[in-house]
């Protein structure tokens, strides 16, 4: 009986292909939007989380200047006292619960090899940096301690830099010019791709901190100190210890605020994730409106269908159909119609999400739960908005209906 | 139902439309009874209440006053769904305009009443084929109404009416749209069904030679029965 009714409704939908399709447009667009947005949204969330964890999981970043909100710049109301070698030394000497502590100073600098040139993020650091950031080498070796100490002209390069200068070739042992100094490539970093914010993480050059300070920055400042917590220590526990040690070494009296900030990357990751969730939620509401419009479209077309088929309803009632048979027939038709729209919408939505993930290089993350929900929701829309027209059909008087032209 | 009791009884049946000044009595106190197996023609001028009476007989409609009993049941007081059930179980309809579902094959049209009975699809197909054979339409099962002549369409409608093996066939001007040759073919078919299956037939017609196929003629005028006579055996 139900199968019979489903077949019947498919047939009547097929008879009016164009009309059915136009009717479905609302549902198709609504569902496609929901699916695309939720899929892209969860891909973005995954990407952001992955990016943040690429920055290093359980990572604290210390920088000079008064702390502002997460990710915000330091206050401008004070002359910033930079971080220095002795701050780093104090942390190395006294901090417990850290897996790696590493200084880093950064600058966008023109890098030249032969006739090619490229503006890269050049970082002066030490050998603990790779450990702190969880970066790996594809080939070559990290700086030795003596290279770090003496500030030898050696460097590690990222994949983008290699491709620019050497194509697929082996860069090891080549000499590149960074600003007005030269350095020898001793290793190649593992490719990391783009961040969610479109920043190329492979367009980098690492060199010993002292070399960077002397030849590029022209000062003895340290921009950041990266501190990776060990497995047993949560960053929330590590953070106050870092603060105590630095306040002590920088001689900040208890009545004054710290003149440095400590950013917890885990917190930032959570904040980013919840920001994308809020965004997908808002876009979801917009999609909800188009689904409502789609539902009204279904209602409209079902009313037309019931009117057009008044005589058919009369015939069915005359030969013994009950009210419920007619009701079910039109309800099923509305449901099948809107389910069809939902399925088309899901396919289009997934297609769009796939396209977006390819162009934005975010993971394609379709969620079975979301798809199932969309299927159920579009069926529900058909039932809810199909009910009134179906009831109208079922309540027809058979004699009037048979007389209808 | 007691043995020998009539299949259909109209007891002072009134059917009125409208209110006050505009009130029209389509039936104004109609009495008659029809036994099982009878073949009754109903005649009368246009607007005399024939279709109204047929709709009540077929349990599509209910009287405004008086009693209509069908198979001993006070059918005039049953609700919509119970009357739908009676129609599905005991009544077959044939209309002047055939009333087949468009773009639906002959076989599917004939199967329709069986769907509402919950008959399985295989059995439905067999019964539909049998009914189509009974009305002489073998080989036309998969034609849609648009591909069939008027006479053939009316045969499909008759097959649909008898596929449930009803007790009563209600035919409102079944030959009204057909030419003379087709009219006589359809009347011969109805006569055969009446004789061979014992199907009770009530039929509205304007034409005397069509009414002659029946055993009895009831004449209506202005909502009253003006005559109720047995037809002389002509055959
Ligand atoms: N639904 C209705 N509303 C108002 N008047 C009706 C309705 N149905 C029938 N009538 C009136 O009842 C009378 C009998 O109609 P009907 O039974 O169709 O006549 P017949 O079939 O004999 O031509 C007519 O005057 C008709 O106008
Ligand atoms: Mg009439």
């Amino acid at each position: 009986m139900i199968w019979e009714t489903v077949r019947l409704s498919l047939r009547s939908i097929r008879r009016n292909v164009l009309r059915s399709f136009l009717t479905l447009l609302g549902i198709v667009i609504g569902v496609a939007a929901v699916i695309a947005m939720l899929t892209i949204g969860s891909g973005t969330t995954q990407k952001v989380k992955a990016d943040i964890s690429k920055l290093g999981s359980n990572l604290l970043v210390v920088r000079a200047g008064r702390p502002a909100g997460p990710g915000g710049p330091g206050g401008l109301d004070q002359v910033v006292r930079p971080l220095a070698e002795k701050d780093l030394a104090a942390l190395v000497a006294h901090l417990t619960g850290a897996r790696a502590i590493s200084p880093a100073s950064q600058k966008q600098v023109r890098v030249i090899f032969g006739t090619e040139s490229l503006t890269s993020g050049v970082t002066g650091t030490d050998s603990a940096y790779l450990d702190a950031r969880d970066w790996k080498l594809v080939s070559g070796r990290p700086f030795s301690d003596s290279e770090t100490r003496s500030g030898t002209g050696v460097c590690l390069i990222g994949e983008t830099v290699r491709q620019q200068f050497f194509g697929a070739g082996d860069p090891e042992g080549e000499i590149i010019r960074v600003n007005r100094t030269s350095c020898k490539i001793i290793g190649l970093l593992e490719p990391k791709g783009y961040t969610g914010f479109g920043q190329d993480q492979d367009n980098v050059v690492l060199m010993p901190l002292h070399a960077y300070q002397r030849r590029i920055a022209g000062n003895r400042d340290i921009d950041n100190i990266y501190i990776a917590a060990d497995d047993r220590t949560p960053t929330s526990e590590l953070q106050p210890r870092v603060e105590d040690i630095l306040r002590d070494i920088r001689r900040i009296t208890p009545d004054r605020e710290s003149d440095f900030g400590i950013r917890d990357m885990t917190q930032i990751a959570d904040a980013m994730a919840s920001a994308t969730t809020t965004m997908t939620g808002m876009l979801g509401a917009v999609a909800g409106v188009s689904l409502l419009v789609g539902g009204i479209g279904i209602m409209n077309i079902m009313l037309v269908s019931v009117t057009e088929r008044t005589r058919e309803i009369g015939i069915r009632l005359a030969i013994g159909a009950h009210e419920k048979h007619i009701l079910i027939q039109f309800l099923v038709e509305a449901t099948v119609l809107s389910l069809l729209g939902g399925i088309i919408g899901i396919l289009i939505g997934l297609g769009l999400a796939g396209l977006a993930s390819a162009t934005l290089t975010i993971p394609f993350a379709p969620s079975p739960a979301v798809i199932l929900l969309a299927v159920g929701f579009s069926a529900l829309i058909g039932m809810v908005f199909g009910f009134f027209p179906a009831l109208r059909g079922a309540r027809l008087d058979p004699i009037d209906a048979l007389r209808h032209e | 139902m007691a043995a020998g009791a009539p299949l259909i009884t109209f007891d002072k049946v009134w059917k009125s439309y409208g209110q006050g000044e505009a009130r029209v009595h389509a039936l104004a106190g109609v009495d008659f009874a029809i036994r099982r197996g009878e073949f009754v023609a109903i005649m009368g001028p246009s607007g005399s209440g024939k279709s109204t009476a047929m709709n009540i007989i077929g349990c599509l409609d209910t009287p405004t006053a008086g009693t209509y009993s069908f198979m001993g049941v006070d059918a005039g007081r049953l609700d919509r769904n119970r009357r739908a059930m009676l129609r599905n179980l005991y009544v077959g309809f044939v209309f002047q305009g055939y009333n087949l579902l468009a773009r639906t094959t002959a076989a599917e049209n004939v199967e329709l009443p069986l769907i509402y009975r919950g008959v399985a699809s295989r059995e439905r197909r067999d019964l539909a084929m049998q009914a189509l054979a009974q009305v002489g339409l073998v080989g036309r099962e998969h034609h849609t109404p648009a591909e069939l002549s008027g006479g053939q369409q009316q045969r499909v409608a008759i097959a649909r009416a008898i596929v449930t093996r009803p007790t009563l066939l209600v035919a409102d001007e079944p030959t009204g749209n057909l030419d003379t040759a087709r009219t006589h073919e359809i009347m011969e078919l109805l006569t055969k069904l009446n004789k061979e299956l014992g199907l009770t037939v009530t039929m509205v017609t304007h034409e005397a030679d069509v009414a002659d196929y029946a055993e009895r003629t009831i004449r209506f005028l202005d909502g009253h029965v003006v005559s109720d006579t047995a037809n002389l055996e002509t055959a």
Side-chain angles (χ1 to χ4, degrees), chain A residues 189-231:
Chain A
L189 295 162
E190 193 178 66
K192 290 170 288 292
Y194 283 78
T195 65
F197 324 105
Q199 190 190 350
D200 182 358
Q201 299 179 93
D202 298 320
N203 186 9
V204 293
V205 175
L206 302 187
M207 57 170 51
L209 178 66
H210 288 165
Y212 174 91
Q213 288 173 331
R214 255 199 324 271
R215 307 185 197 188
I216 292 168
N219 58 37
R220 311 251 325 148
D221 298 348
I222 294 173
D223 295 344
N224 300 299
I225 297 173
Y226 287 81
I227 302 162
D230 65 24
D231 293 340

Side-chain angles (χ1 to χ4, degrees), chain B residues 43-58:
Chain B
M43 295 190 76
S46 185
S48 57
K50 306 181 298 291
S51 292
T52 306
M54 291 297 262
N55 287 338
I56 292 174
I57 289 172

Side-chain angles (χ1 to χ4, degrees), chain A residues 130-289:
Chain A
L130 297 180
D131 190 15
R133 302 287 310 260
D134 238 348
W135 287 8
K136 291 180 181 56
L137 288 176
V138 179
S139 63
R141 59 169 182 85
F143 314 133
S144 68
D145 285 344
S146 71
E147 281 165 346
T148 306
R149 253 194 321 277
S150 60
T152 318
V154 291
C155 57
L156 305 172
I157 61 169
E159 181 60 24
T160 304
V161 179
R162 178 182 79 138
Q163 271 172 21
Q164 175 75 17
F165 294 149
F166 311 104
D170 180 9
E172 249 173 84
E174 301 287 355
I175 310 277
I176 54 174
R177 291 196 64 81
V178 179
N179 223 1
R180 277 176 305 280
T181 182
S182 59
C183 69
K184 189 172 100 185
I185 297 168
I186 59 167
L188 179 64
L189 295 162
E190 193 178 66
K192 290 170 288 292
Y194 283 78
T195 65
F197 324 105
Q199 190 190 350
D200 182 358
Q201 299 179 93
D202 298 320
N203 186 9
V204 293
V205 175
L206 302 187
M207 57 170 51
L209 178 66
H210 288 165
Y212 174 91
Q213 288 173 331
R214 255 199 324 271
R215 307 185 197 188
I216 292 168
N219 58 37
R220 311 251 325 148
D221 298 348
I222 294 173
D223 295 344
N224 300 299
I225 297 173
Y226 287 81
I227 302 162
D230 65 24
D231 293 340
R232 284 156 293 140
T233 315
T235 48
S236 57
E237 228 171 83
L238 200 58
Q239 184 163 353
R241 292 186 206 160
V242 172
E243 179 140 25
D244 286 347
I245 293 169
L246 287 178
R247 284 179 72 91
D248 193 40
I249 190 77
R250 286 163 80 83
R251 298 186 190 290
I252 299 169
T253 50
D255 58 309
R256 279 172 39 228
E257 280 185 54
S258 301
D259 62 353
F260 57 91
I262 304 170
R263 280 198 286 175
D264 186 336
M265 290 305 177
T266 323
Q267 275 173 16
I268 293 174
D270 290 347
M272 296 296 304
S274 81
T276 49
T277 309
T278 315
M279 207 166 67
T280 39
M282 267 160 52
L283 295 172
V286 173
V289 172

Side-chain angles (χ1 to χ4, degrees), chain A residues 1 4 7 11 15 311-312 315-323 325 394-399 402, chain B residues 55 60-61 80-81 84-85 87-88 93 95 97 99-104 108 112-113 115-116 124 160:
Chain A
M1 180 77 210
E4 210 56 55
R7 233 189 44 187
R11 194 196 290 186
R15 264 177 210 155
R311 203 180 174 80
E312 175 191 326
I315 295 168
R316 290 176 183 276
L317 287 170
I319 63 173
H322 291 200
E323 269 179 43
H325 292 132
R395 290 274 167 85
L396 284 174
D397 179 58
I399 299 166
L402 279 169
Chain B
N55 287 338
L60 278 171
D61 207 352
R80 272 168 66 99
N81 282 327
M85 206 142 50
R87 289 198 295 274
N88 188 256
F93 287 91
F95 305 93
N99 276 337
L100 299 176
L101 296 191
R103 289 167 296 211
T104 305
E108 287 169 331
L112 211 54
I115 290 179
Y116 295 120
R124 245 171 24 218
R160 184 181 65 191

Side-chain angles (χ1 to χ4, degrees), chain A residues 52-74:
Chain A
I52 302 287
S53 80
K54 262 184 217 158
L55 292 176
S57 45
N58 303 324
L59 193 64
L60 294 179
V61 181
V62 184
R63 52 181 284 181
R66 197 129 48 116

Side-chain angles (χ1 to χ4, degrees), chain A residues 400 403, chain B residues 17-18 24-26 44-53 172-173:
Chain A
D400 290 342
R403 220 180 272 137
Chain B
Y17 295 104
V24 188
H25 302 292
S46 185
S48 57
K50 306 181 298 291
S51 292
T52 306
D172 195 346
E173 303 192 40

